[in-house]
Amino acid sequence: IAKIYVYDATNTPVVGAQVVLYGEPSTTPSPPVVLFDTTTTNGSGEAIFNFNDVYQLGQAGVAVLNIDARKDAMTGEGIIKVEQETTSEESVFIAP
C-alpha cells in the first residue's frame, strides 16, 4: 500500500488533487513502464494505491516510484519507495 498526502503551500490538505505514481526504467534501451497508476485525493488529502498484485513473495521491496500531483494550476513532485507488506507513506507539496 502507498499513501500520498498532498498539501498546499499553507500545509492544508488538498482535496480532489490528481496523483500519478509511475516508474522510470533504469536501463537502456528502456523497456515499457510496468507501474503506472493514478487516483484522486480523498477528503483528508490522501491518495491510496494498492500494489498487492505487483508484489511477489520473497521480493525485496516493490518499487521506487515518481509522484506527480496536481490540482488546477498547482503542481508538485516527489518520490516514494514502496516496501513489501507494509504501508509506505510520502507527502507532496503543491504550489502554482
Side-chain angles (χ1 to χ4, degrees):
I1 305 293
K3 285 188 180 182
I4 311 300
Y5 302 96
V6 180
Y7 299 99
D8 65 14
T10 63
N11 247 6
T12 303
V14 179
V15 177
Q18 179 186 39
V19 180
V20 179
L21 291 186
Y22 61 95
E24 284 189 350
S26 58
T27 60
T28 304
S30 298
V33 173
V34 175
L35 288 178
F36 184 94
D37 203 357
T38 184
T39 193
T40 304
T41 55
N42 61 22
S44 300
E46 69 181 17
I48 302 171
F49 297 86
N50 185 329
F51 292 108
N52 285 340
D53 57 336
V54 176
Y55 173 69
Q56 297 176 10
L57 193 60
Q59 180 177 333
V62 176
V64 175
L65 302 173
N66 294 316
I67 306 166
D68 283 342
R70 70 179 60 243
K71 182 168 183 186
D72 302 325
M74 299 185 295
T75 61
E77 298 177 341
I79 294 176
I80 186 170
K81 182 178 182 182
V82 181
E83 297 285 348
Q84 70 274 13
E85 300 178 6
T86 188
T87 299
S88 303
E89 299 178 325
E90 191 61 53
S91 296
V92 174
F93 293 87
I94 62 175

